[in-house]
Amino acid sequence: MLEADYLVVGAGAIGMAFVDALIDRADVSVVMVDRRHGVGGHWLDAYPFVRLHQASALYGVASTPMGGGRIQERGPEAGLHERATAPEICAYYERILRDRLLASDKVSFHSNSDYLGDGRFVSLISGRQYEVRVRRSVVDARYLTPDIPSLTPPPFEVADGTHVIPINDLAGLGCAASQYVIVGAGKTATDACVWLIDNGVDPDAICWVRPRDPWMLNRAVIQPEPTMFIGAAADTMQAASESASADEMFCRLEDAGVMLRIDRSVTPTMARTPTLAQWELDRLRMIENVVRRGHLRAVAPGRLTFDRGQAAGDVVAVDPDAVVVHCAARGLRTAPQVPIWGNRTMTLQPVRAGFPLFGAALSGHVEATVAVGLDVDAANAAKNAVCPSSTYPNGLAEWARMQVTGGRAAAAFSANPDIKAWADQVALNPSRTPPDLMESDELAAAVERLKKYAALGMSRLTEFAGMSA
């Protein structure tokens, strides 16, 4: 039997950001549990050549910026903020656990533990069962846990004799293939394609199965620089205000240098919008063998069969010994949006559009500082009002919805002076405006442009998302 104020289920990036911010402002006890052997969540199972797709400074926990805000001095991204590798991210979270959370004497961590519900968990090593008497809340930090290829079976049938691997195994193949078939259209698939080309594979030896084409954000403008980020937000509001449809808005954002697409002759329908650099885009455009026939249904030696089946002619020939690289896991989940604060529970979700770790840290800060002393129902209502949940996108309408819900949330928490003062000092917040930057002419111009287009832009985004005003 254990006792704690909070039981946090999941010690991935979301759970770590929440607990770090919570204990910074509250004298509480926290029990964290996770099925994995350590903290960091899916990064412990990531493919070896993955990097953050965004700047390191926008990731991690609020108390300890990742990477120190360093700028890349060499390579194709010279001048942009650094992006950490998977080993660097795992080492960062291990340090946060050891030197920040455990050292506070407020947190205990139980690894290799399966949460059973009702405050109970079991060790997957010893079999010992634990029950936690939770005084305040059980915090679900797994609600939007991503599905990744190394832990998810391929979403297509695999015939005997077909060489199918998750992207994790690509770097350890040990021998060259005559052809590589990349299955997937998201960030993981683009990483696989870029990595193969950078390791000398002829682009003509790559067959890219892309069920949908994606819109991606230009990494050059999604940087932890408030002037740049607010400028991109102003571009978004202007594009929305001047567009009659979501497709037109995305094309205007492409012209403004905010959005990227791989093939300008194809209108993308996918809008999860990870960031991509121009040099990566140049690599991806070298691949000409792109298969767009819907979702892959089955693979066999020398043959790919698509949704509509062989009778409709949707069979594509590939080399009999081709290596099929599974990059088609669901990734970020698009679960229903629910209130963060419930009846003695919390369900962690994004708050500001597109930056879930800021949302998790903000939720921890709000839990520690807002409506202290009120009864549970009143406190939950106050916290949900000042820190409403947002969503992850999939298609264009959902991306518009994310902008609307995230914009409403930003207006809500920014209206609270104490929360705004905290958010303006947190590197995880891409639009933070610390006092030393307020005198910048460039920042002032970006803010004014955002104000000019915000009302009409949000109104159009609301229409594109199919939401009520």
Side-chain angles (χ1 to χ4, degrees):
M1 179 68 73
L2 304 173
E3 290 193 18
D5 295 305
Y6 298 89
L7 170 59
V8 178
V9 184
I14 294 288
M16 294 289 283
F18 170 80
V19 173
D20 170 82
L22 174 69
I23 66 171
D24 193 53
R25 296 299 180 96
D27 185 14
V28 294
S29 59
V30 181
V31 170
M32 298 184 74
V33 300
D34 197 286
R35 287 181 57 86
R36 291 179 169 91
H37 68 274
V39 293
H42 73 279
W43 290 107
L44 295 171
D45 301 298
Y47 44 100
F49 50 88
V50 68
R51 286 180 177 267
L52 282 172
H53 69 90
Q54 60 189 14
S56 296
L58 296 172
Y59 208 80
V61 302
S63 69
T64 313
M66 183 185 294
R70 288 189 291 270
I71 303 296
Q72 298 181 62
E73 297 179 356
R74 294 178 297 277
E77 292 185 20
L80 301 185
H81 280 253
E82 72 168 15
R83 298 185 294 124
T85 65
E88 289 169 338
I89 296 165
C90 292
Y92 166 86
Y93 280 120
E94 184 60 33
R95 288 194 302 272
I96 295 299
L97 175 67
R98 181 186 65 240
D99 299 339
R100 167 78 174 149
L101 305 190
L102 300 182
S104 72
D105 292 327
K106 298 178 180 180
V107 180
S108 64
F109 175 56
H110 298 262
S111 62
N112 298 106
S113 295
D114 189 20
Y115 183 63
L116 305 175
D118 297 322
R120 298 176 299 113
F121 65 92
V122 59
S123 168
L124 299 173
I125 304 299
S126 69
R128 178 175 294 178
Q129 295 193 28
Y130 296 81
E131 182 176 347
V132 185
R133 182 178 298 167
V134 180
R135 290 185 285 265
R136 298 189 185 178
S137 287
V138 176
V139 182
D140 183 359
R142 308 169 302 169
Y143 186 63
L144 298 176
T145 298
D147 292 327
I148 59 176
S150 63
L151 302 179
T152 306
F156 46 81
E157 298 175 14
V158 179
D160 290 343
T162 314
H163 194 177
V164 177
I165 62 171
I167 185 176
N168 293 58
D169 295 347
L170 191 57
L173 272 179
C175 60
S178 63
Q179 187 179 36
Y180 296 90
V181 179
I182 308 300
V183 182
K187 171 67 167 55
T188 303
T190 63
D191 280 353
C193 293
V194 171
W195 186 84
L196 286 170
I197 292 171
D198 279 352
N199 279 273
V201 173
D202 189 327
D204 291 339
I206 299 173
C207 171
W208 190 355
V209 176
R210 219 155 70 207
R212 299 184 295 163
D213 268 48
W215 282 110
M216 298 187 175
L217 287 164
N218 185 350
R219 188 175 298 132
V221 301
I222 308 300
Q223 293 289 297
E225 305 288 347
T227 301
M228 188 175 296
F229 182 83
I230 293 174
D235 288 335
T236 300
M237 292 300 117
Q238 181 175 355
S241 68
E242 296 174 349
S243 298
S245 67
D247 282 329
E248 181 184 351
M249 174 185 65
F250 273 82
C251 289
R252 287 181 180 273
L253 286 172
E254 181 182 36
D255 292 339
V258 175
M259 289 289 174
L260 301 172
R261 56 176 155 170
I262 302 162
D263 188 339
R264 295 198 64 155
S265 69
V266 175
T267 300
T269 60
M270 185 174 174
R272 296 199 168 202
T273 58
T275 68
L276 191 75
Q278 183 62 50
W279 70 271
E280 293 172 301
L281 183 63
D282 293 340
R283 301 283 199 281
L284 298 175
R285 286 175 171 169
M286 297 169 68
I287 300 172
E288 296 183 357
N289 185 7
V290 177
V291 179
R292 298 183 179 92
R293 302 200 183 193
H295 289 283
L296 184 63
R297 183 164 64 84
V299 298
R303 188 172 71 251
L304 310 175
T305 304
F306 290 84
D307 278 339
R308 291 180 291 277
Q310 189 169 357
D314 271 349
V315 174
V316 172
V318 294
D319 288 1
D321 61 344
V323 173
V324 179
V325 184
H326 162 35
C327 303
R330 181 169 51 178
L332 296 176
R333 297 182 185 179
T334 52
Q337 182 183 354
V338 299
I340 294 175
W341 282 268
N343 181 22
R344 297 179 64 83
T345 63
M346 292 183 64
T347 306
L348 299 182
Q349 296 153 88
V351 179
R352 179 183 287 283
F355 295 88
L357 299 193
F358 172 68
L362 177 63
S363 299
H365 179 78
V366 168
E367 172 66 12
T369 61
V370 172
V372 176
L374 296 183
D375 66 75
V376 172
D377 289 341
N380 286 348
K383 293 169 185 175
N384 281 319
V386 78
C387 188
S389 65
S390 183
T391 60
Y392 286 140
N394 190 354
L396 275 62
E398 291 162 319
W399 188 88
R401 180 183 181 86
M402 178 184 71
Q403 299 302 316
V404 174
T405 57
R408 291 173 178 175
F413 69 73
S414 296
N416 182 304
D418 292 336
I419 297 176
K420 186 177 188 308
W422 173 83
D424 280 344
Q425 300 299 322
V426 174
L428 298 176
N429 179 12
S431 64
R432 63 189 178 95
T433 50
D436 60 311
L437 286 180
M438 292 306 293
E439 302 302 319
S440 164
D441 292 339
E442 292 83 359
L443 179 59
V447 170
E448 284 304 311
R449 195 160 62 89
L450 178 58
K451 289 179 180 178
K452 177 180 178 180
Y453 293 105
L456 182 54
M458 288 295 286
S459 177
R460 289 286 169 77
L461 285 164
T462 302
E463 294 174 17
F464 302 156
M467 300 170 66
S468 59

